[in-house]
Amino acid sequence: MPNVLLIEDDATIRTSLTRGLRDRGHAVSSASAALDGLRLAVEERPDLIVLDLGLPDLDGLDLLRMLRAVSRIPVIVATARDGDAEMVRLLDAGADDYVVKPFSAAQLDARIRAVLRRTGESRTDSSVTVGGLRVDPRTREASLDGAPLDLSPKEFDLLHYLAARPGEVITKRELLTHVWQIPYGGADKTVDVHLSWLRRKLGETSSEPRYLQTVRGVGVRLAAPA
């Protein structure tokens, strides 16, 4: 039975979602404020967190960053805005998925099950080695020639996705779908920005690549240096 922590300040919504998720087989604990939610996340170690952004004591995005600083527990964010910029902002901050208000307990349950399937699969993945690059999804650690790489959560996800497919040309659309969970275009710029940051941390540039090679007009591939 998955343990879900619901952080939602609206008592009516909190009660309704708690009842709906319990009816669907989840164990649910809840908090009405950000700091209480952070405490429960650390103490109870739930399988997944559902986080509303509109909390009374702290902005939900700030709480998401705090959670990501201490935990890799999957987080689904509830937001009232559904624009591309908002979705990219949430996913880049460390959210695993999002739901746009209003939503039902059935829809949230489907999202929870999908996220737990994805994160469950990633926990069983073995480490990947490409040349001097090593990526371990179980510990979420990466190193280059034995030196640890300091990566953000999304940089790690991007590196792992590419490293698990060495030599394959991966399109930006595929990266948006599988790394950012955005199944449509309109946010290609965020891929370019993260690839640039990743290149910098790998000690290379687009004009002098080592591991990350751009295939013009198609996508990018990760391969061991020749």
Side-chain angles (χ1 to χ4, degrees):
M1 177 184 293
N3 294 302
V4 176
L5 171 59
L6 174 62
I7 306 176
E8 165 65 62
D9 68 316
D10 187 299
T12 301
I13 295 174
R14 191 170 64 249
T15 299
S16 175
L17 289 177
T18 297
R19 183 185 304 114
L21 292 177
R22 285 176 177 166
D23 288 345
R24 289 166 174 80
H26 300 283
V28 183
S29 57
S30 64
S32 60
L35 296 182
D36 286 340
L38 181 62
R39 176 182 56 81
L40 288 176
V42 172
E43 291 177 356
E44 297 186 359
R45 306 295 298 174
D47 296 306
L48 182 140
I49 297 169
V50 178
L51 171 62
D52 176 53
L53 292 184
L55 298 170
D57 56 336
L58 190 68
D59 182 76
L61 192 61
D62 291 332
L63 176 57
L64 175 60
R65 295 190 179 105
M66 293 169 69
L67 287 166
R68 278 293 162 260
V70 298
S71 170
R72 289 304 307 163
I73 296 170
V75 177
I76 296 176
V77 171
T79 177
R81 291 176 285 183
D82 61 355
D84 279 1
E86 174 73 358
M87 295 174 188
V88 171
R89 185 174 71 112
L90 295 174
L91 294 168
D92 282 348
D96 294 273
D97 203 350
Y98 56 87
V99 286
V100 178
K101 295 180 176 180
F103 56 87
S104 65
Q107 181 184 350
L108 180 58
D109 173 54
R111 295 275 189 170
I112 289 171
R113 288 185 281 108
V115 168
L116 291 177
R117 280 197 303 271
R118 288 201 305 266
T119 57
E121 289 167 0
S122 70
R123 290 192 192 103
T124 62
D125 286 349
S126 57
S127 62
V128 179
T129 301
V130 182
L133 181 65
R134 185 175 185 274
V135 184
D136 190 337
R138 293 166 297 185
T139 61
R140 295 190 65 83
E141 294 175 340
S143 61
L144 179 61
D145 299 328
L149 294 171
D150 182 17
L151 303 176
S152 71
K154 199 55 68 178
E155 288 168 353
F156 181 91
D157 292 341
L158 175 60
L159 180 62
H160 177 240
Y161 191 86
L162 293 170
R165 298 156 181 81
E168 294 184 29
V169 179
I170 309 298
T171 66
K172 291 180 183 178
R173 174 65 60 86
E174 182 176 345
L175 292 173
L176 283 170
T177 299
H178 294 283
V179 178
W180 277 267
Q181 286 83 51
I182 301 176
Y184 48 82
D188 287 13
K189 187 64 176 177
T190 196
V191 177
D192 294 333
V193 170
H194 280 78
L195 285 171
S196 176
W197 291 340
L198 200 51
R199 284 193 174 99
R200 191 178 310 152
K201 293 183 179 181
L202 293 174
E204 59 185 72
T205 64
S206 58
S207 59
E208 296 182 358
R210 294 184 65 231
Y211 286 90
L212 289 174
Q213 303 165 4
T214 298
V215 180
R216 190 175 299 277
V218 183
V220 63
R221 68 179 164 218
L222 187 146

